[in-house]
Structures are given as structure tokens and as C-alpha cells.
């Protein structure tokens, strides 16, 4: 009887846990589902009182407008603001920005993390504490000083001004990789050096391959961060040749005083904007979760 009572309690707990998990999943996915639903709805029908997950008259005109496949007249007829959007140009800009930020921060953070984990130099611990302290400073605090600096260098609306605050080391990346490097056995490095390998060769040919999992994970984290970045690109890069897709979405959603906001067009563009990071996480999601768990455990 006692075993049956324990079994019923365990089963009941599992049912409650699964119910809460399903409820949380629904709450999490509902905004995304509603955004896609709005993207397939004409602007004139968004506030028609239909609150089902399927629009009454689904249409792809909003996606066609975002991708530049319609004329301004067709856009106005669909209920949009009539504004055009060079989606492919902004998409390429965002991909370049994301790739440069992710690769540069991974490269510099990997070298700095290895130095903090293995090299001995004066002030190492104090410098590492300063880096950790910088993680507690809200990023918005450094926006104005950086903007003044970029303006004095005449780097407004340029790629160098857009990328400058991001291409150096990341405090989070250093901390993340340093924890993994500390867990690696020193015997491996000593064996490589006995075979004649120098510090750089040991680092590149021994340490980096062993840390490929955490390094790829850091790259994914930084890529997602760069892809979603908005405040700094909105301030520094307003020209079309450097404008990112996130900033372009806000501009596209604006309307003239005579028209209502282009909600359907905005949701269509936002749905397309999610796809690259969704594919990235779909491919590397399992590696990301396992590497985060391994690093935190160590």
C-alpha cells in the first residue's frame, strides 16, 4: 500500500509538472503565433474583432511589400503606409555586422581567457576582477561617451563607427571560456611543450580544438546578441548602406499622419527577421545546451 501511495504521488507530480510546462510553452509561443497571424492579415482587418488564430482572409501581400515585390500604390491599397523597404540590403548589413561581432569577440575572448587561466603576470587577478565588475554596468551608461567619441572621429554612419564598440573582448566571453580552460589538465600542455611546441602553437593546435564546444557556444551567444542589437545601431547607423534590419523595421513601421501604423507590414518583416537566428539555433541548439551545462558544472 505504501509503494502504491508513493507511485500515485509521483505520477500526480509528473502530471502537474507536464501541465505547467505545457502552459508555459503556450504562453511563450502565443506572441509568436499571433505575430505570424497578423503578418497574413490585411491592415484593414487587424482590428475587425476576429480574435481567432487564423485570419478571415489570409494574404501574402504584407510579405511581398516587405520584400520589395509591390509598388507604393499596391502597398497603399493593402492598407500600408506606402513606405518602401530594401529588405535584402538591410539583411546583408545585419549578417555582416553579426558575423564580424561574433568572430571578433570569440577570437579576442578566447585568447584573453586562456591568458587569465594559464599565464602568470602582475595584476592578473585585479584585472580579471575589473572585467567582472564591468559586466555589472548597464550598457546604456556607455552609449553617450561612445557616441561622442564616434562623432569626434567622424565615424557616424560608417561601418567602423557601428562596429568599434563590439570588436574587442567581451567580459562575459572571457569569464565563460576561462572557466573551461581552468578545467583542462595542464599535463596536455606540458606534453605539447616537451615535444617542442611553443605557447602559441600549443594554444592553437591543442587548446583550441579541445575547447571547440564552448568556443562555438560563445559564438552562437554573441551572434544572437549582435543580431538583436538595436540601441547603438539606431543611433550611429542611419544611412541605408549601414542600417541594420532591426532599425529598418522601426522605420518601416512608421506612418504618415494620414495613415494608421503599418502593423501587418511590421509583423511580416519581423517574422522574416527571426528566420536566420531560428535556423542557427535549430542547428546548434543541442550543442549550446550541452556546452552550457558542461561549463557551469566545471
Amino acid at each position: 500500500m505504501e509503494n502504491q501511495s508513493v507511485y500515485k504521488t509521483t505520477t500526480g507530480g509528473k502530471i502537474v509538472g507536464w501541465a505547467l510546462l505545457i502552459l508555459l510553452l503556450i504562453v511563450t509561443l502565443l506572441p509568436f503565433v499571433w505575430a505570424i497571424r497578423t503578418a497574413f492579415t490585411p491592415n484593414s482587418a487587424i482590428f475587425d474583432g476576429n480574435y481567432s488564430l487564423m485570419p478571415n482572409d489570409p494574404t501574402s501581400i504584407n510579405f511581398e511589400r516587405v520584400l520589395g515585390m509591390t509598388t507604393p500604390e499596391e502597398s497603399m491599397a493593402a492598407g500600408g503606409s506606402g513606405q518602401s523597404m530594401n529588405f535584402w540590403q538591410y539583411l546583408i548589413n545585419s549578417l555582416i555586422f553579426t558575423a564580424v561581432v561574433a568572430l571578433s569577440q570569440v577570437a579576442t575572448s578566447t585568447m584573453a581567457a586562456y591568458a587569465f587561466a594559464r599565464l602568470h603576470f602582475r595584476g592578473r587577478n585585479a584585472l580579471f576582477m575589473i572585467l567582472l565588475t564591468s559586466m555589472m554596468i548597464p550598457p546604456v551608461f556607455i552609449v553617450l561617451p561612445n557616441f561622442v567619441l564616434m562623432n569626434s572621429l567622424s565615424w557616424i554612419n560608417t561601418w567602423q563607427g557601428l562596429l568599434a564598440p563590439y570588436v574587442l573582448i567581451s567580459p562575459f566571453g572571457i569569464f565563460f571560456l576561462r572557466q573551461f580552460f581552468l578545467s583542462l589538465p595542464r599535463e596536455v600542455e606540458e606534453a605539447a611543450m616537451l615535444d617542442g611546441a611553443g605557447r602559441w602553437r600549443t594554444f592553437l593546435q591543442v587548446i583550441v580544438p579541445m575547447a571547440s564546444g564552448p568556443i562555438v557556444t560563445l559564438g552562437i551567444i554573441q551572434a544572437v546578441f549582435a543580431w538583436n542589437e538595436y540601441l547603438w545601431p539606431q543611433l550611429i547607423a542611419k544611412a541605408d548602406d549601414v542600417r541594420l534590419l532591426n532599425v529598418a523595421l522601426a522605420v518601416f513601421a512608421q506612418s504618415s499622419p494620414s495613415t494608421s501604423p503599418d502593423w501587418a507590414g511590421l509583423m511580416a518583416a519581423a517574422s522574416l527577421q527571426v528566420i536566420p537566428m531560428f535556423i542557427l539555433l535549430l542547428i546548434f541548439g543541442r550543442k549550446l545546451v550541452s556546452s552550457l551545462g558542461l561549463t557551469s558544472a566545471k
Side-chain angles (χ1 to χ4, degrees), residues 20-38 53 267 271 274 278:
L20 291 175
L21 183 62
I22 293 173
L23 179 61
L24 180 62
L25 183 63
I26 293 174
V27 172
T28 303
L29 293 179
L30 185 59
F32 297 98
V33 174
W34 195 260
I36 295 175
R37 185 258 189 204
T38 304
L53 295 181
M267 291 298 100
S271 300
V274 170
F278 178 77

Side-chain angles (χ1 to χ4, degrees), residues 1-293:
M1 292 293 294
E2 183 176 350
N3 292 337
Q4 292 180 355
S5 177
V6 172
Y7 175 76
K8 290 181 179 179
T9 303
T10 304
T11 303
K14 288 184 178 180
I15 294 175
V16 173
W18 276 106
L20 291 175
L21 183 62
I22 293 173
L23 179 61
L24 180 62
L25 183 63
I26 293 174
V27 172
T28 303
L29 293 179
L30 185 59
F32 297 98
V33 174
W34 195 260
I36 295 175
R37 185 258 189 204
T38 304
F40 284 99
T41 304
N43 266 300
S44 58
I46 289 180
F47 303 104
D48 61 356
N50 176 27
Y51 298 107
S52 67
L53 295 181
M54 289 295 296
N56 291 329
D57 299 309
T59 177
S60 62
I61 187 63
N62 299 315
F63 292 95
E64 295 173 8
R65 292 195 292 115
V66 168
L67 296 175
M69 301 169 61
T70 60
T71 63
E73 291 75 16
E74 292 173 330
S75 176
M76 292 292 293
S81 61
Q83 295 197 33
S84 60
M85 180 180 183
N86 194 348
F87 180 85
W88 298 110
Q89 176 65 54
Y90 301 142
L91 176 63
I92 293 173
N93 292 345
S94 290
L95 290 174
I96 294 174
F97 174 77
T98 300
V100 172
V101 170
L103 293 176
S104 62
Q105 289 197 357
V106 166
T108 55
S109 297
T110 302
M111 292 185 287
Y114 180 74
F116 280 117
R118 286 291 190 261
L119 304 184
H120 298 280
F121 53 89
R122 181 177 298 179
R124 182 186 68 169
N125 294 335
L127 183 57
F128 184 67
M129 289 303 300
I130 293 174
L131 283 171
L132 291 183
T133 304
S134 67
M135 294 174 60
M136 305 176 189
I137 301 176
V140 71
F141 279 17
I142 61 175
V143 169
L144 182 57
N146 281 338
F147 183 84
V148 173
L149 177 60
M150 296 302 109
N151 187 50
S152 64
L153 294 173
S154 299
W155 282 4
I156 304 297
N157 289 325
T158 63
W159 276 106
Q160 55 267 35
L162 177 63
L163 292 168
Y166 301 99
V167 296
L168 298 180
I169 57 179
S170 164
F172 167 77
I174 295 174
F175 173 76
F176 178 79
L177 292 177
R178 175 181 175 271
Q179 299 305 111
F180 182 83
F181 289 148
L182 287 174
S183 68
L184 295 179
R186 291 181 179 271
E187 291 78 6
V188 177
E189 299 170 72
E190 293 172 355
M193 292 181 179
L194 287 175
D195 289 339
R199 178 66 69 178
W200 269 107
R201 185 178 176 185
T202 301
F203 172 71
L204 293 175
Q205 298 185 2
V206 178
I207 300 300
V208 171
M210 293 177 65
S212 60
I215 290 174
V216 171
T217 299
L218 178 63
I220 297 172
I221 294 174
Q222 297 299 348
V224 173
F225 162 77
W227 185 260
N228 294 327
E229 187 69 348
Y230 176 79
L231 179 58
W232 180 252
Q234 193 273 336
L235 290 174
I236 202 74
K238 296 183 178 181
D240 284 344
D241 57 341
V242 292
R243 176 177 285 168
L244 302 188
L245 188 55
N246 273 352
V247 180
L249 294 185
V251 176
F252 181 72
Q254 295 174 359
S255 60
S256 64
S258 60
T259 60
S260 59
D262 193 356
W263 299 120
L266 176 62
M267 291 298 100
S271 300
L272 295 174
Q273 191 256 359
V274 170
I275 293 177
M277 289 301 103
F278 178 77
I279 295 175
L280 182 68
L281 293 177
L282 192 65
I283 297 174
F284 297 104
R286 187 182 299 273
K287 193 178 189 66
L288 174 66
V289 173
S290 61
S291 182
L292 284 174

